[in-house]
Amino acid sequence: MRLGIKGKQIAGVTAIVGIAVLVLSGLYVTGLVEVVLRGSLARGQLLSNAIFHRAREVVTTSPDPYGALRSDPGLRSILESSIYGESVTGASILDTSGIVIAGSDTTRVGLPHAETADLAALLDQGPIRQLTVIYSQEGQTLDVRQPMMLGDEAFGAIRIGVSTLLMRQELNAALRPALITAAVALGVAIFVAALLAQLLLRPIHVLRGGLTRLGKGEFGVTLDLPPGDEFGELGTFFNTMSQQLSADRTALVGQKANLQSAVEHLEDAVALFNPSGELLFSNPAMQTALPADGIGRPLRALLPDAHPYRAIVEETLATRHSRGPLQVPLGDDVLLMTHAIEGTDQELVGVLLVSRNLASLSRVQSTIAYSRKLVALGRLTAGLAHEVRNPLNAMMIHLELLRTKIRKGAMAAVPRPEPVAATGAVIGLSQIEREPPLGSAVQGALQHVEVIESEIRRLEEVVQGFLKFTRPEDLRLHPVSVKKLFEEIVPVIEPEARAGHVKVILESPTSLPDVHGDGAMLRQAFLNLAINGCQAMPNGGTLRLSCAPAPRNRIEVRIEDTGVGIRPADLEKIFDLYYTTKEHGTGIGLSMVYRIIQMHDGEVEVQSTPGRGTTFRILLPRANDI
């Protein structure tokens, strides 16, 4: 099992203290062994000196030295009492040939003395040898030796036996407190090491926690470490790195979303396989052949042997070279191509399969050609409408001239009465300048002129609306806030809403992303829908303007009213040009809304229940996904 930093620090501190304790304990034991040995030697020498002094007194006063030594009661008393000395096992007096003359063990008198090691010689050896002798399992007896001299001649020797077992007991008794002290020191060392590890390694735990949060995908992780040391510098570096990673990850997420959105909306079918032939990704166009639940499954389990997709991918995996484009019949004619993706080490990373439907490509080309024709036709009709407007303006001018001439001609044909003052009264200027009444024929002619003028004006409005609908306009695309557009149109519709007792509710979250569009055109579209909603509630109601995020990187805009609603038969026609259910409507407003939303690559839906209200739902692309 691998130790962590905390465990290593505790082990290190404990090892250092343990080594110090062992070294000190070794020195202490070495000194203690020498003390015990020297103490035993000193006691043996003390006893030997006592025996020597008594033996010298006996020998000098007796003609038979050995006999006197055997029979002297004082000497016998000293020898017998020697066994009561600490670590002493006995005492003996030997002659020059090594025969026991007298001793504490009377059974050994007259017998040769057993050969044993010299205690004084053991003191001159090393501590390991001393410990080995003392702690030998059987134990042994060591001698303290002292020669006996009579004049210049040796006539015997004194041997004091010292037991290593007794010395071992004495040494153990002295070592027990030392061992307890060493154990306590080691325990204290472990505790202090753990406490220091907890205090000193806290910044490491904080760093590990920050790295774990970064690994889980959290943005903007920061560490609060005290400055002034290496850990503080490391925390500052971590915070800088975290901010950079957060910025990079945000950009990467945006790029990934853009790429995923682009791939998902491709007309071409796209799939990605790993070097083992397992499916990693397939866009919606490819999921008719390779379902989304096939992710992670091998190609052989998804397609039969003869399928063109499987054949070209397996060939690319085998050769490590791109293939195609190849035209194969697969329902419709399709173009297949593969791309072998290599890493920086020139190893195969995966295979990209692209399938292009030639039939859909033909339809797209036909649609483009048809769109070009419609554009040309729109320009032609716009020019035609423009040419129609000029004669209409001339007709309006000449109608006004015709009306003036009819009035002047009628007034000239009627004689003016002469001012007569028969009664002497003065006739007022207003009576003289009053116009004579026009005849019925003249009034009829003027009515026809008014009818022609009214129809020309209506035709002018139709042509003007047609020009506005067909005239190509340049989109000025930029990020636009839907909430700001709502705030701009609310004051415009407020007078009409107040007059119709309509309550306007605005719902827009502050964190809503902007849409990518032309602010003026979107404002006109939302304003048309809001005005229609107010006009659909003559008896009052609620107009709700709301927006919210939607799937596929879109923004949803909803304009809801609680008005009269739209009949099911009219729902399919409301976006047709010049179609209207209003008495004085032009049929252009909703057509303009539909055209503006289409120009922004958006979608518009309508749901309506007669008598309960209508909801227009508009989907627009987000600004950051374009």
Side-chain angles (χ1 to χ4, degrees), residues 48 51 79 90-94 113-116 143-146 157-161:
S48 175
I51 294 173
L79 292 173
S92 300
I93 299 176
L94 310 180
H113 187 272
E115 289 297 328
T116 56
D143 285 344
V144 176
R145 301 175 180 180
Q146 182 174 353
I158 300 173
R159 299 288 179 89
I160 308 298

Side-chain angles (χ1 to χ4, degrees), residues 238-452:
F238 178 91
N239 293 337
T240 304
M241 182 185 67
S242 174
Q243 294 174 1
Q244 183 64 38
L245 284 177
S246 177
D248 294 344
R249 188 174 296 174
T250 301
L252 183 60
V253 168
Q255 294 174 2
K256 180 180 178 182
N258 292 340
L259 179 60
Q260 183 174 359
S261 176
V263 173
E264 288 180 352
H265 289 84
L266 282 177
E267 293 291 340
D268 296 340
V270 178
L272 182 64
F273 300 88
N274 65 12
S276 300
E278 297 174 348
L279 179 63
L280 299 179
F281 169 79
S282 62
N283 70 339
M286 180 63 80
Q287 290 173 4
T288 56
L290 300 173
D293 58 0
I295 301 298
R297 297 170 59 188
L299 186 61
R300 60 178 177 275
L302 298 174
L303 297 173
D305 293 340
H307 199 284
Y309 288 176
R310 178 174 175 180
I312 192 171
V313 171
E314 289 180 344
E315 184 178 353
T316 304
L317 289 172
T319 62
R320 299 301 199 260
H321 295 293
S322 302
R323 295 284 297 162
L326 303 176
Q327 182 173 348
V328 296
L330 196 63
D332 296 328
D333 288 341
V334 296
L335 280 179
L336 294 183
M337 61 192 79
T338 57
H339 178 64
I341 305 173
E342 295 182 348
T344 55
D345 55 357
Q346 306 302 318
E347 292 293 329
L348 184 67
V349 176
V351 173
L352 181 67
L353 171 65
V354 180
S355 174
R356 176 170 298 174
N357 192 328
L358 296 180
S360 62
L361 184 61
S362 299
R363 288 194 297 269
V364 170
Q365 292 175 345
S366 300
T367 303
I368 293 175
Y370 183 69
S371 300
R372 290 174 178 173
K373 292 179 181 179
L374 288 180
V375 171
L377 182 60
R379 292 175 179 174
L380 178 62
T381 53
L384 181 61
H386 183 72
E387 292 300 325
V388 171
R389 289 183 62 193
N390 293 332
L392 290 177
N393 291 334
M395 292 169 65
M396 289 292 296
I397 294 173
H398 285 281
L399 278 176
E400 187 63 30
L401 294 174
L402 180 60
R403 182 187 293 112
T404 302
K405 287 185 178 181
I406 291 175
R407 289 182 180 275
K408 287 183 178 180
M411 292 175 62
V414 177
R416 292 179 177 270
E418 295 294 334
V420 178
T423 59
V426 180
I427 300 175
L429 182 60
S430 60
Q431 293 177 344
I432 297 175
E433 295 180 354
R434 182 181 301 167
E435 294 182 359
L438 301 177
S440 59
V442 175
Q443 291 181 355
L446 292 177
Q447 289 178 357
H448 288 301
V449 171
E450 290 178 358
V451 169
I452 295 173

Side-chain angles (χ1 to χ4, degrees), residues 606-624:
V606 59
Q607 298 176 350
S608 183
T609 302
R612 299 186 61 180
T614 303
T615 299
F616 284 89
R617 179 174 178 265
I618 300 171
L619 295 176
L620 295 170
R622 292 186 185 182
N624 59 350

Side-chain angles (χ1 to χ4, degrees), residues 150-228:
L150 186 60
D152 294 332
E153 295 182 3
F155 72 92
I158 300 173
R159 299 288 179 89
I160 308 298
V162 181
S163 175
T164 59
L165 293 176
L166 297 177
M167 285 190 290
R168 185 189 306 174
Q169 294 178 359
E170 181 183 358
L171 187 60
N172 288 342
L175 284 177
R176 190 173 295 111
L179 293 176
I180 294 175
T181 302
V184 171
L186 286 176
V188 172
I190 294 174
F191 174 76
V192 172
L195 183 61
L196 289 176
Q198 186 67 26
L199 295 177
L200 297 178
L201 299 181
R202 177 185 171 276
I204 294 181
H205 297 322
V206 174
L207 286 170
R208 183 177 64 181
L211 290 173
T212 302
R213 292 169 61 191
L214 276 181
K216 292 181 179 179
E218 292 188 32
F219 288 170
V221 178
T222 57
L223 302 180
D224 185 14
L225 293 176

Side-chain angles (χ1 to χ4, degrees), residues 500-519:
H501 303 286
V502 174
K503 180 181 179 181
V504 180
I505 299 177
L506 179 61
E507 296 178 352
S508 177
T510 55
S511 59
L512 185 72
D514 294 342
V515 298
H516 195 70
D518 187 312

